[in-house]
């Protein structure tokens, strides 16, 4: 029996080499399965057939791969290369334009680099705009608070006489501050010298009616060929409550209507209706 076991071991070593794990043939189950030399021979034969089958399969796969490689037509490969060579450069670079790519990359970098500059520019622009607004506001405010003068004048002349009348109006914003005026009637001939008493009677009532009122000052001068009236009206001193109770069309206190709201625009309109020409002084 021991000689059979040795024969079996040698047969396995011949088939699988020294790497095969040694099987304990003394095991009862193994002895049961391999109870005679013929049965072992059948097992060994089956193993060898499997090994050969595996080897043949690998050889067939290798041969098939080689055959597939041999099936590649060199002419087809050359045609592909020639087609690529014959393509227009624009077609080849259609999907990737190096110049365009570099340009976009440059623009992108420029944008990144220009961001701080753009922010600074925006800040400077905003500050400049604010400074400009402040300057304009200050200039307008100063102009409104600054006292200004506008002059309204009237003139008429004929062969025998000449009349000049003007008012210099000092104002701030639209509020009248002070009015200075001068009226002159000059007779050139004896005929018109006779008109001076009539002119005096027309102008004197205003002087009489305003006598004693705060802010009203009139001075007149007359001779055989001249009648002159100087007017000084201080709107800052007027008693507006008293003035508002006076019917100036019946009881005139000035040679133009005194508006209690001190409105320059109202006075200008009143004078222009009487053919006065008004111009602002520089």
């Amino acid at each position: 029996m021991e000689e059979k076991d040795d024969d079996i071991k040698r047969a396995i070593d011949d088939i699988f080499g020294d790497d095969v794990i040694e099987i304990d043939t003394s095991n009862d189950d193994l002895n049961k399965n391999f109870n005679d030399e013929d049965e072992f021979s059948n097992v060994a034969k089956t193993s060898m057939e499997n090994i050969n089958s595996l080897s043949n399969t690998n050889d067939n796969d290798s041969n098939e791969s080689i055959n597939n490689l041999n099936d590649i037509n060199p002419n087809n490969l050359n045609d592909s290369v020639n087609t690529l060579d014959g393509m227009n450069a624009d077609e080849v670079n259609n999907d990737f334009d190096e110049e365009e790519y570099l340009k976009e990359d440059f623009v992108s970098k420029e944008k990144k680099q220009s961001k701080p500059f753009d922010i600074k520019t925006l800040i400077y622009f905003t500050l400049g705009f604010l400074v400009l607004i402040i300057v304009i506001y200050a200039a307008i405010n100063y102009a409104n608070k600054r006292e200004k003068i506008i002059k309204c004048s009237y003139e008429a002349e004929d062969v025998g006489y000449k009349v000049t009348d003007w008012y210099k109006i000092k104002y701030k914003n639209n509020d009248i501050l002070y009015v200075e005026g001068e009226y002159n009637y000059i007779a050139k001939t004896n005929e018109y010298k006779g008109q001076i008493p009539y002119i005096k009677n027309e102008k004197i009532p205003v002087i009489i009616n305003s006598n004693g009122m705060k802010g009203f000052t009139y001075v007149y001068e007359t001779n055989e060929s001249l009648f002159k009236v100087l007017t000084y009206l201080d709107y800052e001193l007027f008693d507006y409550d008293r003035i508002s109770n006076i019917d100036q069309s019946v009881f005139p206190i000035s040679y133009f209507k005194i508006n209690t709201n001190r409105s320059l625009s109202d006075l200008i309109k009143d004078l222009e209706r009487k053919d006065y020409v008004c111009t602002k002084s520089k």
Side-chain angles (χ1 to χ4, degrees):
M1 185 64 178
E2 293 179 358
E3 290 179 359
K4 283 187 178 181
D5 291 339
D6 291 337
D7 291 338
I8 292 171
K9 182 177 181 181
R10 281 195 299 273
I12 293 174
D13 289 339
D14 290 339
I15 296 172
F16 298 102
D18 295 333
D19 294 334
V20 177
I21 299 174
E22 184 176 354
I23 300 174
D24 187 2
T25 56
S26 62
N27 188 283
D28 294 336
D29 293 333
L30 185 59
N31 291 334
K32 182 178 180 180
N33 293 328
F34 301 99
N35 54 10
D36 57 33
E37 185 175 356
D38 293 335
E39 187 174 352
F40 172 76
S41 297
N42 291 331
V43 172
K45 182 178 179 181
T46 302
S47 298
M48 288 300 296
E49 289 177 354
N50 291 335
I51 291 172
N52 291 332
S53 176
L54 180 61
S55 177
N56 290 332
T57 300
N58 291 334
D59 290 341
N60 290 333
D61 291 340
S62 299
N63 291 333
E64 184 177 355
S65 299
I66 292 172
N67 290 333
N68 291 334
L69 183 61
N70 291 332
D71 289 338
I72 295 176
N73 191 338
N75 293 329
N76 294 335
L77 183 60
N78 291 333
D79 292 340
S80 299
V81 173
N82 292 333
T83 301
L84 182 61
D85 290 339
M87 291 178 66
N88 187 285
D90 293 337
E91 296 175 352
V92 174
N93 294 326
N94 186 38
D95 294 332
F96 179 78
D97 191 331
E98 182 178 359
E99 182 179 354
E100 185 67 24
Y101 173 79
L102 293 176
K103 181 179 179 181
E104 292 177 357
D105 184 60
F106 176 77
V107 170
S108 177
K109 290 181 179 179
E110 282 291 310
K111 288 182 179 179
K112 291 180 180 179
Q113 294 176 357
S114 63
K115 281 184 179 179
F117 177 77
D118 291 339
I119 294 174
K120 289 182 179 179
T121 302
L122 180 60
I123 293 174
Y124 292 150
F125 176 79
T126 303
L127 292 176
F129 180 76
L130 291 176
V131 171
L132 179 62
I133 292 298
I134 293 173
V135 171
I136 293 174
Y137 174 78
I140 294 175
N141 192 45
Y142 172 77
N144 289 334
K145 289 183 178 181
R146 185 169 61 91
E147 294 180 358
K148 299 179 182 179
I149 294 176
I150 186 169
K151 187 175 182 179
C152 297
S153 60
Y154 170 83
E155 184 175 332
E157 187 173 5
D158 201 350
V159 177
Y161 73 95
K162 182 178 181 180
V163 175
T164 60
D165 192 13
W166 58 262
Y167 294 103
K168 187 184 293 182
I169 306 166
K170 183 186 292 185
Y171 67 96
K172 182 167 64 176
N173 294 334
N174 191 45
D175 295 335
I176 300 172
L177 302 176
Y178 197 88
V179 176
E180 179 183 349
E182 182 178 327
Y183 172 84
N184 287 283
Y185 175 85
I186 301 171
K188 297 180 181 181
T189 64
N190 291 331
E191 180 182 358
Y192 281 92
K193 287 180 181 179
Q195 297 295 320
I196 290 179
Y198 296 100
I199 300 299
K200 180 180 179 180
N201 291 335
E202 182 184 340
K203 298 294 183 181
I204 286 295
V206 170
I207 299 173
I208 295 173
N209 293 336
S210 63
N211 186 38
M213 295 181 63
K214 293 179 180 180
F216 291 86
T217 303
Y218 295 100
V219 177
Y220 75 92
E221 178 185 345
T222 185
N223 57 42
E224 63 177 8
S225 60
L226 172 69
F227 182 83
K228 177 189 289 188
V229 177
L230 301 177
T231 301
Y232 304 96
L233 303 175
D234 191 343
Y235 276 67
E236 298 290 307
L237 299 177
F238 285 171
D239 184 350
Y240 290 100
D241 290 336
R242 182 179 178 182
I243 292 173
S244 62
N245 292 323
I246 296 175
D247 184 355
Q248 296 183 48
S249 62
V250 178
F251 194 79
I253 56 177
S254 176
Y255 299 113
F256 54 81
K257 184 179 180 180
I258 301 296
N259 293 313
T260 56
N261 59 6
R262 302 173 59 176
S263 172
L264 172 67
S265 58
D266 288 346
L267 177 56
I268 297 300
K269 290 178 182 178
D270 185 21
L271 293 174
E272 288 179 341
R273 280 195 296 266
K274 298 176 181 178
D275 296 328
Y276 284 77
V277 177
C278 298
T279 56
K280 292 182 179 180
S281 300
K282 294 182 180 180

